[in-house]
Amino acid sequence: MRTQVVIVGAGPSGLLLGQLLFKAGVDAIILERQSPEYVLSRIRAGVLEQVTLDVLAQAGVDQRLKKEGLVHTGFDLLFKSERHRIDLESLTGGQKVMVYGQTEVTRDLMDARQAAGLTTIYETNDVAIHDFDSDHPSVSYEKDGQRHTITCDFIAGCDGFHGVCRASVPSKSIQEFEKVYPFGWLGVLSDTPPVHEELIYVNSTRGFALCSQRSTTRSRYYLQVPLTDKVEAWSDDAFWQELRLRLDPEAREHLVTGPSIEKSIAPLRSFVTEPMRFGTLFLAGDAAHIVPPTGAKGLNLAATDVKYLSDALIEACVEKSHAGIDHYSTRCLARIWRAERFSWWFTSLMHHFPDQGEMGQKLQEAELNYLIHSEAGSRTMAENYVGLPLHFGEK
Ligand code: APR
Ligand code: PHB
């Protein structure tokens, strides 16, 4: 087989890249090791920046999210048992965010790819990338007991943190930056109405909590837990009881509990790969970087990587210019590091660190108190939360 771009991974990054390339007439084949059902079973954050909404519109997959997405113009910070609203819209000159689950974004992308009759090969085994530092790269994989090879012009590594593409780059050619946090997030999905119409981020002496949502009838809650905790040890009742202890009286009164339809514990890390391009191989999304979920930047960073990469690959395939692909890594990393810094800062501000002591709690509360009373402080929080403009900082 032959195509212009082989995309490894059919998560949001790979599917969005495939859609943008298709819209520009560039051929791509996507290889995915899991089944479509498995990919859709992953529960991830769902706060979309305007930049992400623009990319999804360009890809032609924003019809459902425009109908079903929840527009949010602010969120609450809860600390010392009091809630304070960060008014995103007024602090950013009118910007908002859209609450729409990543699962739904992935589903919309899958449906669009299928409707266009494009090739996604699911349940592939042993994908391997070859000669990506030459002019004749290829990708091989096993399917139904047979080995197949696809020759191509470019390879897009959209295969997530545990993928094969980044792992195939010689260690002398890549630098990895990592910070692992000393706690995890226990997440629960429930078919219960959200406790509040907007999100509530909680700094409690018992640990961080987040009240989020997927719709007006489906809620998503998180509790900071020790890394040693096992999800099996957390009954639904124990979860709701601990969440109540971290909420303010009004939220406690409005909380509607119910059976969890998904419950899991995820670790938190900050991770960045430099560079993101290796000859004809380009990394995008979680394959290149991970953020702690506090700032809801994971999907949004993946979307802007893919926007930059699709523009560059289209320019290379259609106009035969390499300017975009030569600039891809530098352009992505500037945005990635800004989002990593915000996600790390917001995580450090809201979570209870094992070694912070009472002084650490007082310093967090002092910073939160400053933020909510300072327009400059609130604006800094707001402009990073809604997402900086696509060309921010570019000459
Ligand atoms: N061969 C083929 N497919 C692979 C391989 C492999 N060797 N390794 C991983 N994959 C697939 C995974 O099964 C997954 O479907 O690549 C896909 C990667 O998808 P994600 O991990 O979701 O990463 P990405 O598409 O970049 O999306 C980033 O997902 O994890 C969240 O917070 C993150 O919201 C962000 C988004
Ligand atoms: C979620 O709904 O999963 C979510 C929302 C906001 C965050 C993190 C996760 O900051």
Side-chain angles (χ1 to χ4, degrees), residues 71-120:
V71 175
H72 282 208
T73 60
F75 62 80
D76 280 3
L77 290 174
L78 163 55
F79 64 101
K80 295 180 77 176
S81 291
E82 284 188 11
R83 293 212 323 239
H84 307 270
R85 185 168 187 265
I86 296 292
D87 186 341
L88 298 173
E89 189 169 27
S90 67
L91 287 162
T92 62
Q95 293 194 63
K96 308 157 189 168
V97 292
M98 172 83 76
V99 172
Y100 187 71
Q102 175 173 313
T103 303
E104 304 319 312
V105 173
T106 306
R107 193 192 311 279
D108 294 341
L109 286 163
M110 278 181 177
D111 291 349
R113 187 164 183 82
Q114 188 174 21
L118 301 175
T119 306
T120 307

Side-chain angles (χ1 to χ4, degrees), residues 326-356:
D326 290 346
H327 188 42
Y328 168 71
S329 185
T330 305
R331 199 175 183 202
C332 282
L333 285 167
R335 187 171 184 86
I336 288 160
W337 277 113
R338 284 191 291 267
E340 290 282 352
R341 194 268 334 149
F342 172 69
S343 303
W344 158 82
W345 168 78
F346 199 13
T347 302
S348 305
L349 180 63
M350 300 303 289
H351 289 73
H352 190 87
F353 286 72
D355 59 354
Q356 74 178 44

Side-chain angles (χ1 to χ4, degrees), residues 305-323:
D305 286 356
V306 166
K307 168 59 178 168
Y308 292 148
L309 182 54
S310 62
D311 286 351
L313 291 177
I314 291 163
E315 183 190 66
C317 292
V318 176
E319 298 164 29
K320 308 301 179 195
S321 159
H322 278 207

Side-chain angles (χ1 to χ4, degrees), residues 130-132 134-139 150-155 280:
H130 311 281
D131 304 314
F132 51 83
S134 77
D135 294 338
H136 45 274
S138 64
V139 180
I150 308 174
T151 57
C152 54
D153 299 323
F154 301 104
I155 302 171
T280 59

Side-chain angles (χ1 to χ4, degrees), residues 40 89 144 236 286 327 363 392:
L40 285 172
E89 189 169 27
D144 303 330
D236 287 359
D286 274 17
H327 188 42
L363 291 173
F392 181 92

Side-chain angles (χ1 to χ4, degrees), residues 157-265:
C158 298
D159 49 347
F161 184 65
H162 301 289
V164 66
C165 291
R166 188 182 74 245
S168 301
V169 176
S171 54
K172 66 178 177 14
S173 305
I174 195 168
Q175 194 173 2
E176 297 180 350
F177 303 83
E178 184 169 48
K179 179 182 185 57
V180 178
Y181 296 85
F183 38 73
W185 276 20
L186 167 61
V188 157
L189 194 65
S190 60
D191 279 331
T192 54
V195 68
H196 185 51
E197 66 263 18
E198 294 180 328
L199 272 55
I200 306 175
Y201 290 84
V202 185
N203 171 301
S204 155
T205 54
R206 299 180 65 88
F208 170 82
L210 171 58
C211 302
S212 183
Q213 51 197 258
R214 292 290 177 271
S215 70
T216 54
T217 59
R218 178 166 285 191
S219 299
R220 180 69 168 165
Y221 294 101
Y222 295 98
L223 292 177
Q224 171 189 343
V225 293
L227 278 174
T228 49
D229 272 19
K230 301 292 177 227
V231 66
E232 301 77 29
W234 277 91
S235 67
D236 287 359
D237 287 347
F239 181 89
W240 297 121
Q241 184 179 339
E242 182 58 35
L243 177 60
R244 282 197 185 90
L245 290 173
R246 301 187 189 185
L247 292 176
D248 61 294
E250 183 196 349
R252 213 172 288 147
E253 185 190 328
H254 287 96
L255 180 66
V256 177
T257 64
S260 59
I261 55 177
E262 192 271 350
K263 185 161 49 181
S264 55
I265 295 180

